[in-house]
Amino acid sequence: MKADPVRRERLVEVFLTAPGFVWLLLFFLLPTFNVLLISFRPSTLTGGIGEGWTLDTLQQLRNPDYPGILFRTLWVSLAITVSCLLLSVPVAYFLARCSQRWKTRLLLLIMIPFLTNFIIRVFAWKVILHPEGWLASVLAFAGLIPPGTQLLYNVRAVILVSVYTYLPFALLPVYAVAEKFDFALMEAAMDLGCNRIQAFFRVFVPGISRGLWTATLLVLIPNLGAYVVPDIVGGHSSSMLGNVIVRRLFSDRNLPHAAGLSSVLTVLVLLPMIVVILHRRRREAH
Amino acid sequence: MKFRLLNLAAALMLILGFTACGSRKPVLRIYNWAEYLSDEVIEAFEKEFNCRVIVDVFDSNEAMYAKLKAGGGGYDIVVPSSYQVVRMAREGMLLELDHSQLPNLVHLDPIAVKFTQDPEHRYSVPYLITSAVIGYRADRMDTGPDSWAVFADASLRGRMTLLNDQRETLGAALKFLGFSLNTVNPEEINAARDLLIEWKANLAKFESEQFKNGLMSAEFLVVHGYSSDLLQAMEEDENISIALPKEGLSIALDDLVILADAPNPQLAHAFINFMHRPEVAAENMEWVMAMSPNLPAYALLDDAFKADERIFFSEEIFAKSETIFDLGENDQLYINAWNEVKTAP
């Protein structure tokens, strides 16, 4: 009657992972599947979900405007991600080389804005980018823009404000890896003939690649589904997929159509994750 | 030890239970447009009926409808525009009103009937009459606009907004073109769509919430907005003015309705009746800056307020203005046109 130790270990494993698995199943997998199902239901003009099944939504998703919006969603999200990474690598390098005292202080400075509500931080940009605000005045004085130019409500404003709000999400994982990086490796590279810049790009950057991938996921994925920032500082020609989903839902009362677009978004979000997972697998296999 | 802990927990639950009971006043939940109900009126109602009032806000009839339809809410009172009342009643979302609990209906101004598709008040009681007008910064413009054509003015590029509302904004374009804002003629709707796509190049954005703040901070110089909001802004900032476009406008009647699944229908009836007490209606009118169709309340108003034709529209304005009505199946024409406006480059 002695319990098989291997089987026992399995059982413990199942019990330990069960709560998380059930949670994901109930609150993530099933709702996502439900959204996918709704996109194959007919819509009613009164905002309900009709009986039976249809491919109407699939047909409607071939709307000639959608490729443009999809493309904008992709390139804006990528631009935000790349900008965040470009900013966080030098900052993380600097932070990692700081003395412990300064590290704490500077990290605190990065975290403090987080204590302010997200919406308020976004609204603050409306003051900074006001067409008669100080920034516009300085730019107009320098002759870069005509006076009274609207700096808000375009794609550039969306990218700028998104980079600002998502920078800590990129900086912290990059810093976490950079802090563990062995800087003696850079000295070794320089001993072997690299100059400082070469050492930075050929030793430091590959050394923190794990942090870069995490940062990419943390910034890219939420921005693919962004709604709030393009809604507040974006204009009439910078709506992203998230904004279109909201419009289909609220203004058109077309639930299946919104569900169809959401399913497209889900696929879009899964793709970068799959890429990163495959990349990690391949690296671990090496 | 275990026993003591259990006892402690039981005692705690008892205390919590009692305090919760002690403060449990009846609650009235209202789903309303922003700044569309006087704070003092709410306080007076809470005091008189020994209850708590919770107000949530929406920024378009469509958004409100979608939220309620998706099962959101738990609201008692909602304030839809009259065209939306028809749709909600048809969907069985509204409670049939008990007129024996609404004696103040006798005060209603018969003019309100012109704007509603529910003239017998089976489901709705007229609340306030407003319109969508043009607000502008008088300090930044030599002459104020007098027509919807201002949105074609490229010199104001990036500093103007139109409402983010399919019926109101297509309606403004239809009015400018001389068509009815309830037209179901696809050619007329398409002409309005094309005009809006032209105007869009001059807009900062389509905006239903921030037009008032934007105008006050001079971020926007010309906005399409609701008269009550813009009149409130004028009170706070003397540089703001209002223009009633010469082509005519959309006059909206917003109604008080009770939801079919309202948790507290009796208190909701009491609230509707309360809002049509002449002194309450007058107080609310002066706070919101909109006209409540309540005959005896007019006598209680300031003369200057009564003479303001942006609140009490003249015959001339009534004659060239219209009210948005529910178009049933034909709504799809507006939905399609609006989507094309929004996605056009």
Side-chain angles (χ1 to χ4, degrees), chain A residues 36-57:
Chain A
L36 188 67
L37 280 187
I38 289 174
S39 51
F40 291 102
R41 293 281 195 182
S43 70
T44 66
L45 196 62
T46 50
I49 298 166
E51 291 295 315
W53 303 93
T54 171
L55 293 174
D56 277 1
T57 304

mmCIF file of all heavy atoms in Angstrom, chain A residues 36-57:
data_model
loop_
_atom_site.group_PDB
_atom_site.id
_atom_site.type_symbol
_atom_site.label_atom_id
_atom_site.label_comp_id
_atom_site.label_asym_id
_atom_site.label_seq_id
_atom_site.Cartn_x
_atom_site.Cartn_y
_atom_site.Cartn_z
ATOM 1 N N LEU A 36 -15.649 34.762 -29.518
ATOM 2 C CA LEU A 36 -15.478 34.193 -30.852
ATOM 3 C C LEU A 36 -16.808 33.634 -31.368
ATOM 4 O O LEU A 36 -17.187 33.847 -32.522
ATOM 5 C CB LEU A 36 -14.413 33.092 -30.802
ATOM 6 C CG LEU A 36 -13.982 32.541 -32.157
ATOM 7 C CD1 LEU A 36 -13.243 33.604 -32.946
ATOM 8 C CD2 LEU A 36 -13.112 31.310 -31.982
ATOM 9 N N LEU A 37 -17.557 32.960 -30.490
ATOM 10 C CA LEU A 37 -18.852 32.396 -30.887
ATOM 11 C C LEU A 37 -19.831 33.493 -31.290
ATOM 12 O O LEU A 37 -20.529 33.381 -32.298
ATOM 13 C CB LEU A 37 -19.450 31.587 -29.728
ATOM 14 C CG LEU A 37 -18.912 30.184 -29.525
ATOM 15 C CD1 LEU A 37 -19.729 29.474 -28.446
ATOM 16 C CD2 LEU A 37 -18.974 29.396 -30.839
ATOM 17 N N ILE A 38 -19.868 34.594 -30.478
ATOM 18 C CA ILE A 38 -20.814 35.674 -30.753
ATOM 19 C C ILE A 38 -20.581 36.257 -32.143
ATOM 20 O O ILE A 38 -21.519 36.671 -32.817
ATOM 21 C CB ILE A 38 -20.713 36.770 -29.664
ATOM 22 C CG1 ILE A 38 -21.285 36.250 -28.348
ATOM 23 C CG2 ILE A 38 -21.469 38.028 -30.070
ATOM 24 C CD1 ILE A 38 -21.109 37.185 -27.189
ATOM 25 N N SER A 39 -19.306 36.221 -32.593
ATOM 26 C CA SER A 39 -19.059 36.829 -33.898
ATOM 27 C C SER A 39 -19.664 36.002 -35.030
ATOM 28 O O SER A 39 -19.714 36.459 -36.164
ATOM 29 C CB SER A 39 -17.567 37.081 -34.110
ATOM 30 O OG SER A 39 -16.848 35.914 -33.852
ATOM 31 N N PHE A 40 -20.155 34.821 -34.735
ATOM 32 C CA PHE A 40 -20.833 34.030 -35.761
ATOM 33 C C PHE A 40 -22.341 34.037 -35.581
ATOM 34 O O PHE A 40 -23.061 33.231 -36.154
ATOM 35 C CB PHE A 40 -20.298 32.594 -35.780
ATOM 36 C CG PHE A 40 -18.883 32.521 -36.268
ATOM 37 C CD1 PHE A 40 -17.832 32.374 -35.372
ATOM 38 C CD2 PHE A 40 -18.589 32.637 -37.624
ATOM 39 C CE1 PHE A 40 -16.519 32.340 -35.817
ATOM 40 C CE2 PHE A 40 -17.290 32.590 -38.079
ATOM 41 C CZ PHE A 40 -16.250 32.445 -37.171
ATOM 42 N N ARG A 41 -22.836 34.961 -34.723
ATOM 43 C CA ARG A 41 -24.279 35.123 -34.528
ATOM 44 C C ARG A 41 -24.760 36.303 -35.367
ATOM 45 O O ARG A 41 -24.005 37.240 -35.592
ATOM 46 C CB ARG A 41 -24.561 35.429 -33.049
ATOM 47 C CG ARG A 41 -24.256 34.280 -32.110
ATOM 48 C CD ARG A 41 -25.362 33.313 -32.162
ATOM 49 N NE ARG A 41 -25.300 32.385 -31.040
ATOM 50 C CZ ARG A 41 -26.177 31.396 -30.903
ATOM 51 N NH1 ARG A 41 -27.135 31.260 -31.775
ATOM 52 N NH2 ARG A 41 -26.081 30.570 -29.889
ATOM 53 N N PRO A 42 -26.023 36.283 -35.793
ATOM 54 C CA PRO A 42 -26.531 37.468 -36.485
ATOM 55 C C PRO A 42 -26.769 38.605 -35.484
ATOM 56 O O PRO A 42 -27.039 38.357 -34.304
ATOM 57 C CB PRO A 42 -27.852 36.994 -37.097
ATOM 58 C CG PRO A 42 -28.261 35.826 -36.289
ATOM 59 C CD PRO A 42 -27.015 35.190 -35.744
ATOM 60 N N SER A 43 -26.683 39.849 -35.974
ATOM 61 C CA SER A 43 -26.948 40.981 -35.090
ATOM 62 C C SER A 43 -28.375 41.457 -35.314
ATOM 63 O O SER A 43 -28.945 41.267 -36.390
ATOM 64 C CB SER A 43 -25.983 42.122 -35.402
ATOM 65 O OG SER A 43 -26.305 42.670 -36.659
ATOM 66 N N THR A 44 -28.967 42.042 -34.299
ATOM 67 C CA THR A 44 -30.281 42.659 -34.478
ATOM 68 C C THR A 44 -30.113 44.160 -34.360
ATOM 69 O O THR A 44 -29.207 44.636 -33.688
ATOM 70 C CB THR A 44 -31.286 42.186 -33.408
ATOM 71 O OG1 THR A 44 -30.843 42.676 -32.144
ATOM 72 C CG2 THR A 44 -31.383 40.684 -33.369
ATOM 73 N N LEU A 45 -31.000 44.912 -35.013
ATOM 74 C CA LEU A 45 -30.883 46.363 -35.060
ATOM 75 C C LEU A 45 -31.052 46.980 -33.673
ATOM 76 O O LEU A 45 -30.623 48.094 -33.410
ATOM 77 C CB LEU A 45 -31.933 46.938 -36.021
ATOM 78 C CG LEU A 45 -31.689 48.369 -36.454
ATOM 79 C CD1 LEU A 45 -30.384 48.501 -37.204
ATOM 80 C CD2 LEU A 45 -32.838 48.884 -37.286
ATOM 81 N N THR A 46 -31.674 46.231 -32.769
ATOM 82 C CA THR A 46 -31.935 46.777 -31.441
ATOM 83 C C THR A 46 -30.776 46.499 -30.499
ATOM 84 O O THR A 46 -30.879 46.774 -29.313
ATOM 85 C CB THR A 46 -33.207 46.162 -30.865
ATOM 86 O OG1 THR A 46 -33.111 44.746 -31.004
ATOM 87 C CG2 THR A 46 -34.424 46.668 -31.595
ATOM 88 N N GLY A 47 -29.678 45.971 -31.013
ATOM 89 C CA GLY A 47 -28.502 45.807 -30.179
ATOM 90 C C GLY A 47 -28.415 44.446 -29.521
ATOM 91 O O GLY A 47 -27.606 44.232 -28.631
ATOM 92 N N GLY A 48 -29.245 43.508 -29.963
ATOM 93 C CA GLY A 48 -29.207 42.183 -29.365
ATOM 94 C C GLY A 48 -28.401 41.213 -30.219
ATOM 95 O O GLY A 48 -27.805 41.575 -31.226
ATOM 96 N N ILE A 49 -28.384 39.956 -29.766
ATOM 97 C CA ILE A 49 -27.725 38.894 -30.521
ATOM 98 C C ILE A 49 -28.830 37.980 -31.019
ATOM 99 O O ILE A 49 -29.626 37.477 -30.227
ATOM 100 C CB ILE A 49 -26.744 38.121 -29.617
ATOM 101 C CG1 ILE A 49 -25.662 39.073 -29.125
ATOM 102 C CG2 ILE A 49 -26.139 36.953 -30.373
ATOM 103 C CD1 ILE A 49 -24.858 38.520 -27.984
ATOM 104 N N GLY A 50 -28.899 37.784 -32.339
ATOM 105 C CA GLY A 50 -29.992 37.014 -32.919
ATOM 106 C C GLY A 50 -29.820 35.519 -32.752
ATOM 107 O O GLY A 50 -28.807 35.040 -32.251
ATOM 108 N N GLU A 51 -30.826 34.785 -33.198
ATOM 109 C CA GLU A 51 -30.789 33.320 -33.150
ATOM 110 C C GLU A 51 -29.999 32.801 -34.358
ATOM 111 O O GLU A 51 -29.874 33.486 -35.371
ATOM 112 C CB GLU A 51 -32.213 32.774 -33.204
ATOM 113 C CG GLU A 51 -33.029 33.051 -31.949
ATOM 114 C CD GLU A 51 -32.461 32.321 -30.748
ATOM 115 O OE1 GLU A 51 -32.134 31.127 -30.888
ATOM 116 O OE2 GLU A 51 -32.339 32.964 -29.679
ATOM 117 N N GLY A 52 -29.552 31.565 -34.249
ATOM 118 C CA GLY A 52 -28.928 30.907 -35.396
ATOM 119 C C GLY A 52 -27.485 31.335 -35.604
ATOM 120 O O GLY A 52 -26.906 32.038 -34.766
ATOM 121 N N TRP A 53 -26.945 30.883 -36.722
ATOM 122 C CA TRP A 53 -25.544 31.141 -37.015
ATOM 123 C C TRP A 53 -25.415 31.797 -38.373
ATOM 124 O O TRP A 53 -26.223 31.577 -39.257
ATOM 125 C CB TRP A 53 -24.753 29.825 -36.999
ATOM 126 C CG TRP A 53 -24.895 29.120 -35.694
ATOM 127 C CD1 TRP A 53 -25.824 28.161 -35.390
ATOM 128 C CD2 TRP A 53 -24.144 29.352 -34.520
ATOM 129 N NE1 TRP A 53 -25.675 27.773 -34.081
ATOM 130 C CE2 TRP A 53 -24.648 28.488 -33.520
ATOM 131 C CE3 TRP A 53 -23.086 30.203 -34.186
ATOM 132 C CZ2 TRP A 53 -24.138 28.452 -32.235
ATOM 133 C CZ3 TRP A 53 -22.571 30.166 -32.907
ATOM 134 C CH2 TRP A 53 -23.089 29.297 -31.955
ATOM 135 N N THR A 54 -24.383 32.603 -38.538
ATOM 136 C CA THR A 54 -24.216 33.275 -39.813
ATOM 137 C C THR A 54 -22.743 33.632 -40.047
ATOM 138 O O THR A 54 -21.976 33.722 -39.090
ATOM 139 C CB THR A 54 -25.056 34.560 -39.860
ATOM 140 O OG1 THR A 54 -24.698 35.285 -41.023
ATOM 141 C CG2 THR A 54 -24.801 35.444 -38.649
ATOM 142 N N LEU A 55 -22.406 33.824 -41.306
ATOM 143 C CA LEU A 55 -21.042 34.268 -41.622
ATOM 144 C C LEU A 55 -21.049 35.752 -42.008
ATOM 145 O O LEU A 55 -20.070 36.261 -42.540
ATOM 146 C CB LEU A 55 -20.465 33.423 -42.763
ATOM 147 C CG LEU A 55 -20.206 31.961 -42.411
ATOM 148 C CD1 LEU A 55 -19.775 31.172 -43.639
ATOM 149 C CD2 LEU A 55 -19.126 31.849 -41.327
ATOM 150 N N ASP A 56 -22.183 36.446 -41.716
ATOM 151 C CA ASP A 56 -22.328 37.860 -42.081
ATOM 152 C C ASP A 56 -21.177 38.715 -41.571
ATOM 153 O O ASP A 56 -20.643 39.557 -42.283
ATOM 154 C CB ASP A 56 -23.635 38.429 -41.495
ATOM 155 C CG ASP A 56 -24.807 38.085 -42.396
ATOM 156 O OD1 ASP A 56 -24.568 37.419 -43.422
ATOM 157 O OD2 ASP A 56 -25.939 38.477 -42.060
ATOM 158 N N THR A 57 -20.826 38.503 -40.293
ATOM 159 C CA THR A 57 -19.796 39.342 -39.688
ATOM 160 C C THR A 57 -18.477 39.177 -40.419
ATOM 161 O O THR A 57 -17.782 40.154 -40.695
ATOM 162 C CB THR A 57 -19.630 38.981 -38.204
ATOM 163 O OG1 THR A 57 -20.909 39.106 -37.581
ATOM 164 C CG2 THR A 57 -18.659 39.908 -37.525
#
